[in-house]
Amino acid sequence: MRVVKTGIAGTLESSDVMITVSENTSTGINIELHSIVEKQFGKQIRKVIKEKMEELDISDATVSVNDKGALDCTICARLEAATYRAAGIKHVRWEEK
Amino acid sequence: MEKLRRTMLYVPGNNAGMVKDAHIYRSDSVMFDLEDSVSLSEKDSARLLIFNALKTLDYEGIETVVRINGLDTPFGVDDIKAMVRAQPDIIRIPKADSADDIKAVEVLIEKEEKLAGLKVGTIKLMAAIEGPLGVLNAYSIATASKRMIGLAIGAEDYVTNMKTKRSPGGVEILFARSQIVTAARAAGIYALDTVYSDVNNEEGFLEEVRLIKQLGFDGKSVISPRQIAPVHKIYTPSQKDIDFALRVIEVIKEANEKGSGVISLDGKMVDKPIVDRAERVIAMAKASGIQFDEEDDK
């Protein structure tokens, strides 16, 4: 999968996260993290995002995260939705899950 | 013990906070909605949210239901592919008009179960009847698949289709309710009533719950955690009902031991329907968490 445009998913409500995935000017996964729980969970959130991008086979992207205390599973869901949108792909490959 | 389905808490599928906390209010079931509460532009994101939640979170034994989009929309097939792999207990089919609507979903579920290497038949189905055609076809819908566990009525769409609107007494949906509960009983599955949307009208809500219980419904869809406890209270048998039921069971036991035919209790005849009702009261009380002295209820 390749990021070809900007994709956004999620909300700024409590327990949710808004994630923007866009093309990267450099290489690698560049994470911009703003979280109300960054001091305690910042490292874990970055780890979750890196692992999910690896699973989605994305090596170059900027991931902007505005977290309002989302669970890991919510972060994964919003990241995946934003990434599919950024890749311009409408249907998730459920067969691979 | 009989599975209780007194309350099914409606949870908008794209609301991360509500999805996370859905089980803490202890409704009998939670229903994650991918249909009407999710805007067209967020269907993909809501589907992923519910998929990840069901794969990850422990809902502590609360029955999980997902209302999918209809197969007449661009979202229904993806909903089925995702939810078969997420494994909720039940998939709820909206706007069911005929047995074919159920069979079409069943075919897709079975195909996806096989592709995913899952045991065929695990996910159960329930159907919401929301239009006049569905009401007329209620029994064939209820019996369309072995997976079917319940029928629900969706009143808002129904009254719109009937060119009327909802009223406090609900006379406009009396026929639909009666038809659906009768069809469900004939098919041996559950019957669930529609939502009551005026959350602040507590008395109106209680009246409606008493009515649907009297009609024979097993429970009701609820849209607020505040509506859960009142429904459970109304559905829990009273001590008077329990005491009478225990006495019925006692006298019928004595009569059977003596080989008597018809017997009476407090001057009234006790026959099979009375005994069946008494057994149901005891089962319902037990399922509601009421403790019994085992000697008393045998």
Side-chain angles (χ1 to χ4, degrees):
Chain A
M1 206 185 309
R2 200 167 66 85
V3 173
V4 294
K5 57 183 179 179
T6 297
I8 306 173
T11 72
L12 295 177
E13 289 171 19
S14 177
S15 299
D16 205 348
V17 58
M18 184 176 270
I19 295 184
T20 306
V21 174
S22 53
E23 286 180 273
N24 209 352
T25 46
S26 56
T27 55
I29 303 295
N30 174 31
I31 301 170
E32 297 165 357
L33 175 62
H34 303 278
S35 172
I36 56 169
V37 291
E38 188 163 356
K39 282 182 186 170
Q40 194 174 354
F41 295 111
K43 205 171 159 184
Q44 171 66 12
I45 294 170
R46 287 171 195 279
K47 182 171 170 270
V48 167
I49 288 167
K50 283 200 169 158
E51 284 175 359
K52 192 71 193 175
M53 292 308 260
E54 216 165 277
E55 186 191 312
L56 293 170
D57 201 19
I58 302 269
S59 49
D60 300 311
T62 293
V63 182
S64 172
V65 181
N66 196 339
D67 172 50
K68 301 295 178 187
L71 296 175
D72 285 0
C73 62
T74 304
I75 295 171
C76 284
R78 298 314 196 188
L79 178 60
E80 191 161 352
T83 306
Y84 269 89
R85 288 173 181 183
I89 298 173
K90 282 192 174 173
H91 298 283
V92 170
R93 298 181 198 111
W94 294 107
E95 294 78 4
E96 294 171 11
K97 286 188 179 286
Chain B
M1 190 179 290
E2 186 173 356
K3 163 76 187 143
L4 291 179
R5 292 196 175 94
R6 300 164 298 181
T7 46
M8 184 171 284
L9 180 64
Y10 180 99
V11 179
N14 204 35
N15 187 317
M18 289 179 75
V19 169
K20 172 174 78 79
D21 293 333
H23 60 299
I24 66 175
Y25 307 104
R26 310 309 295 173
S27 55
D28 291 328
S29 318
V30 292
M31 187 194 78
F32 302 109
D33 180 36
L34 297 177
E35 201 213 10
D36 286 352
S37 71
V38 179
S39 65
L40 295 179
S41 62
E42 294 303 315
K43 296 287 188 188
D44 56 340
S45 195
R47 190 184 297 121
L48 279 162
L49 184 67
I50 300 304
F51 173 82
N52 279 275
L54 286 170
K55 293 289 273 186
T56 313
L57 302 180
D58 177 5
Y59 284 102
E60 297 178 352
I62 304 280
E63 183 173 66
T64 52
V65 182
V66 177
R67 179 166 77 168
I68 60 170
N69 290 280
L71 291 180
D72 57 342
T73 71
F75 315 110
V77 171
D78 274 343
D79 286 349
I80 290 173
K81 285 181 179 180
M83 291 312 131
V84 163
R85 288 162 178 85
Q87 297 265 281
D89 297 308
I90 296 168
I91 285 178
R92 175 164 160 157
I93 303 166
K95 300 179 179 67
D97 281 333
S98 71
D100 287 346
D101 293 340
I102 311 302
K103 287 173 184 163
V105 170
E106 185 182 36
V107 165
L108 284 174
I109 289 178
E110 190 169 326
K111 179 185 160 197
E112 294 302 324
E113 280 175 338
K114 285 176 181 167
L115 280 172
L118 299 165
K119 191 180 167 195
V120 171
T122 311
I123 293 182
K124 303 302 177 197
L125 288 174
M126 64 181 299
I129 292 177
E130 304 178 55
L133 188 56
V135 170
L136 292 174
N137 288 331
Y139 181 69
S140 62
I141 291 171
T143 52
S145 161
K146 282 182 181 170
R147 295 178 194 247
M148 283 290 290
I149 61 95
L151 289 182
I153 171 172
E156 295 301 335
D157 282 296
Y158 176 74
V159 294
T160 306
N161 287 324
M162 292 297 289
K163 298 186 177 177
T164 180
K165 59 182 181 181
R166 294 192 72 181
S167 68
V171 68
E172 67 287 344
I173 53 173
L174 180 59
F175 173 74
R177 275 176 166 154
S178 305
Q179 172 94 342
I180 285 168
V181 74
T182 306
R185 290 290 164 264
I189 63 174
Y190 285 71
L192 289 158
D193 191 49
T194 187
V195 298
Y196 188 84
S197 10
D198 187 359
V199 177
N200 291 323
N201 184 355
E202 202 172 321
E203 195 42 49
F205 177 68
L206 294 177
E207 269 177 39
E208 183 162 286
V209 178
R210 288 186 203 107
L211 171 72
I212 60 119
K213 179 173 181 278
Q214 186 62 28
L215 284 171
F217 279 88
D218 294 287
K220 191 168 180 61
S221 298
V222 293
I223 52 166
S224 163
R226 280 162 56 194
Q227 294 179 326
I228 295 169
V231 178
H232 288 186
K233 193 175 172 194
I234 287 173
Y235 268 89
T236 302
S238 67
Q239 194 56 50
K240 193 178 155 193
D241 290 340
I242 294 168
D243 290 344
F244 180 74
L246 289 171
R247 289 175 64 213
V248 167
I249 288 164
E250 199 179 313
V251 295
I252 203 73
K253 188 182 162 197
E254 278 175 28
N256 287 341
E257 281 168 4
K258 289 178 189 166
S260 313
V262 176
I263 52 150
S264 70
L265 178 64
D266 300 339
K268 288 178 188 163
M269 188 177 78
V270 175
D271 54 5
K272 190 171 181 302
I274 308 272
V275 177
D276 288 349
R277 279 209 295 277
E279 286 173 347
R280 182 165 163 73
V281 165
I282 300 302
M284 195 69 182
K286 282 185 178 174
S288 304
I290 293 173
Q291 302 287 322
F292 284 88
D293 179 347
E294 285 302 309
E295 285 305 306
D296 286 346
D297 63 298
K298 276 181 182 167

